[in-house]
Amino acid sequence: RWEPSAAACLLVRFGCLGLDLDGLAAPVRQLAAGRFDAVKTVRIPALLTFANPCSLLLETDRRGRDQAIGALRAVMLRLLTCQPPGRVHFTIIDPVGLGENFAGFMHAADYQETLVGRRIWTDAGQIQQRLVDLTEHMENVIQKYLRNEFETIEQYNVQAGELAEPYRFLVIADFPVNWNEESARRLSSIVNSGARCGVYTLIARDARQEAPAGIDMADIASRSVHLVFQEGGFVWQDAICRRFPLELDGPASEATLTDLMHKVGRAATDTSRVEVPFAIVAPPQEAYWSSDSREEVRVPIGRSGANRVQYLTLGRGVAQHTLIAGKTGSGKSTLLHVIITNLSLWYAPDQIELYLIDFKRGVEFKTYVTHALAHARVVAIESDREFGLSILQRLDAEMARRGELFRRAGVQDVAAYRKVTGAVLPRTILIVDEFQVFFSEDDKLAQEASVLLEQLVRQGRAFGIHVLLGSQTLGGASGLARSTMGQMAVRIALQCSEADSQLILDDDNVAARLLNRPGEAIYNDTSGMIIGNSPFQTAWLPDDQRDQYLDRIGRRTDGQTRRAAPMIVFEGNVPADLSANPLLAERIAESRWPEPAAAGLIWLGEPVAIKEPTSIVFRRQSGAHLLVIGQREELAAGLFCAALLGLAAQYRPNAVRFYLLDGTPADSAQAGYLARVAGILPHDSRIVEWREVTGVITELTTEMQRRLEEDRHDEPAVYILIYGLQRYRMLRRTEDDFSFSLEADADAPAKPAAQFAELLRDGPTVGIHVIVWTDTLATFERTWDRQAMREFDHRVLFQMSAADSSHLIDSPVANQLGYHRALLFSEERGILERFRPYAPAGANWLEQAEKQLARKSP
């Protein structure tokens, strides 16, 4: 029936004292008014008190060992059940029993490791390291929390509220087995100074063994409830209490212990989340955009200690750039949102500009696009390495631009430039989550990213450009030079391994491995040196609350400022949106048809870099065809839609003809879509039915031959679009299609496959181009021979096998494409470009485009 306690109990029973009432003085018995007449003895609880002493020392020989260890187990169980869940942490040392004596407590570790440690420690090296951890914790508590403001941890906890520090108990069985001098010295320090910090000891000592050098057992005994095994029982070594017989509490049964540990573990898990309200660090509405970034950027990000606020400071001294590391679930994403949101609340868009890159497979930064955050210049969601590199290149160019501005003004930094010129130059903050993705492959891109990051980190300080890099682990960031990391003086470490703690902080600074709850972190602005450690708790910013703040920023932006330039957005988790192509929108919206185009241009999708949409050009020259290949029916339809609309917007209605062979199955979601797109065009657009294919191929071949014979290179362009080549069996070649046998009938009509091969070879020079989508390379080879591949200078590949990719573009890279990615190979331009292909345009946008095209005047 036990239920977790909500309030702390400062008394813990470890046994009881027997009081013989017959020994009471007569006046005392008279005061009791006969209430004890029928009672010979009473049992009085023997208690540990959290004020002092709460440590327990039991000294015994072999005979009392089991009873002593049983008493330790009983006290541990009472501590776990009388304190609020998660408020007591144990470090257990059992060198003789190898953990068997306390194994039942490990059930609680299944829910929260810190309750009883990750394991029970046994050998000398492990013991010494655990004592190092405890003494480091005490140093932090004294120097960072108590200082000269609080006398004890109890006083601090009253003020700290949700940041209250748990009590820590060092449980030692069979002391001093496996203890060395260094461990003994640290134990002495813990016993002497631990009570003020909430660190206590529960020790069962083997009296047969001499204490190691470095520790005074009399000193430990004076600071503990000291019990010695004598004549079959333990005697309290206290001038008064030793007069009364002491009976120690025995341990609970294994079944009871197991059941309680599961309950304690579940309760601790339910209450382990510590939430520092974001309102504590956010400005009141009247103070929005009240900070000035002239000298530095300073933004509150959480609470440190009972009543202090932790700030992230950039731009002053060596504190220019930041590294953040924390394992999954440590609160890193929440911290990044706190930083971004609070920067946007404290600073106006002309004071701070943000470049946000998220390499995770998620949509953490999507909300800043949804709310059109004015501070954000670039937002990359589930970004590609190439796009991330283009951002680094853009910032490198911005650094060069600012350098030129500073030279003209005769100044050295942002503050001086703003003072001399009066211009408001915003500080730029680049935030990259999971930045190690830059270096996931040992290639040219990784090398270039490393060089650019080093330049930004080394030179960005003077130009007001600051870099903040986040990662779950720095173990995979080998491509980032140690010299670059050394220049990043501000380090924020959340829960992480010992190895990552050494990487993010310093080789001698492993404090981050002791962090035990989400959002708990160490802020260090001394390049990771131990002296700079400042523990704090990140503010908690729920999604709905963050969105409310972003809404307020948006309303303030609408009323007071305009965005300097459109936000650049890369959403790697969705296909590109054709309606968001500004170049196509501009062409469609023009009031007049353009002059006759010398070459047709098709926009294929959004690049994975900061540049104009990915495109190809159909010039009147050999090889000017497009092959789209891969099993992505919907994205292929999007490309064909983009091709039809893009070409239609560039040609007058009498300057181009379209032939659409639509092989979409009747039961497909795309059935009828391309015919709908072709139908909105005011151009000559012919939907070629199945039975008409052979005749149309013959007709086009005849026209091509006429143009060639008459040398007519200025006639209207013709685009043949074949969607689903795999479904047009009549176009497949047979063994004798391209035969030169003398027995062949010279007067027999050419077969469609041979005619189509002729169109591919000779059509582009007279303005006849082919755009084909097929599902596999095998389908292509069933239709044309290998020589025909040369006629397709432009090739778009979706994800496919490495072998097919190598055959098509001499590289296996198409095997690594993601779901919303494609690869453009252009032999004419000598490029291999990754991009996000357009999805099929929506009905509303197509309707609007139809109206705009119909309104155009000659």
Side-chain angles (χ1 to χ4, degrees), residues 441-706:
E441 298 180 28
D442 186 11
D443 55 10
K444 182 179 179 181
L445 189 151
Q447 296 170 6
E448 189 172 353
S450 179
V451 171
L452 289 171
L453 277 173
E454 182 164 9
Q455 289 177 352
L456 290 173
V457 168
R458 287 185 178 276
Q459 303 172 23
R461 168 185 175 274
F463 304 109
I465 297 176
H466 310 282
V467 178
L468 191 155
L469 304 179
S471 177
Q472 290 182 11
T473 174
L474 296 184
S478 56
L480 184 64
R482 294 289 295 180
S483 59
T484 304
M485 294 178 64
Q487 293 288 324
M488 306 182 76
V490 180
R491 316 287 176 87
I492 301 178
L494 295 102
Q495 284 178 288
C496 58
S497 66
E498 180 173 340
D500 278 330
S501 180
Q502 292 174 317
L503 287 171
I504 183 74
L505 296 173
D506 187 74
D507 290 343
D508 298 324
N509 193 348
V510 294
R513 68 184 173 84
L514 302 177
L515 303 174
N516 53 57
R517 63 173 179 258
E520 188 178 15
I522 292 174
Y523 183 91
N524 186 303
D525 58 5
T526 59
S527 298
M529 292 189 294
I530 293 177
I531 193 174
N533 285 356
S534 177
F536 76 102
Q537 181 71 32
T538 301
W540 170 242
L541 181 59
D543 292 350
D544 57 346
Q545 189 177 355
R546 179 194 63 217
D547 292 344
Q548 291 174 10
Y549 279 108
L550 294 176
D551 284 338
R552 295 176 192 171
I553 295 171
R555 289 193 294 270
R556 189 179 185 91
T557 301
D558 293 340
Q560 297 190 21
T561 186
R562 292 185 178 181
R563 179 182 293 277
M567 180 192 299
I568 299 172
V569 180
F570 180 89
E571 291 189 75
N573 60 323
V574 296
D577 183 3
L578 183 61
S579 65
N581 183 330
L583 301 177
L584 175 59
E586 181 181 346
R587 292 290 182 90
I588 292 177
E590 289 175 348
S591 60
R592 300 177 61 87
W593 289 105
E595 294 299 320
L601 180 145
I602 294 179
W603 291 286
L604 301 172
E606 294 294 334
V608 289
I610 301 178
K611 68 181 192 66
E612 291 187 349
T614 299
S615 63
I616 59 173
V617 177
F618 291 97
R619 294 184 174 87
R620 298 202 174 194
Q621 62 187 33
S622 178
H625 304 296
L626 170 62
L627 171 65
V628 181
I629 186 166
Q631 297 178 346
R632 298 301 309 280
E633 182 178 354
E634 181 181 1
L635 292 182
L639 290 180
F640 272 56
C641 172
L644 284 167
L645 288 169
L647 291 169
Q650 297 167 64
Y651 286 99
R652 296 172 180 267
N654 61 354
V656 67
R657 299 202 314 271
F658 297 108
Y659 290 83
L660 175 62
L661 282 67
D662 185 2
T664 309
D667 60 348
S668 169
Q670 308 302 323
Y673 175 76
L674 292 179
R676 161 75 175 120
V677 175
I680 72 171
L681 306 180
H683 302 70
D684 184 0
S685 303
R686 181 175 175 183
I687 310 300
V688 181
E689 300 296 337
W690 194 269
R691 62 183 179 277
E692 300 175 326
V693 171
T694 300
V696 168
I697 297 299
T698 300
E699 174 187 327
L700 290 171
T701 304
T702 301
E703 180 174 353
M704 177 193 70
Q705 291 170 345
R706 179 186 62 80

Side-chain angles (χ1 to χ4, degrees), residues 390-405:
S390 71
I391 294 178
L392 298 183
Q393 293 167 339
R394 183 185 180 108
L395 289 175
D396 187 57
E398 173 65 12
M399 192 162 60
R401 185 186 75 87
R402 293 189 177 192
E404 182 61 29
L405 292 176

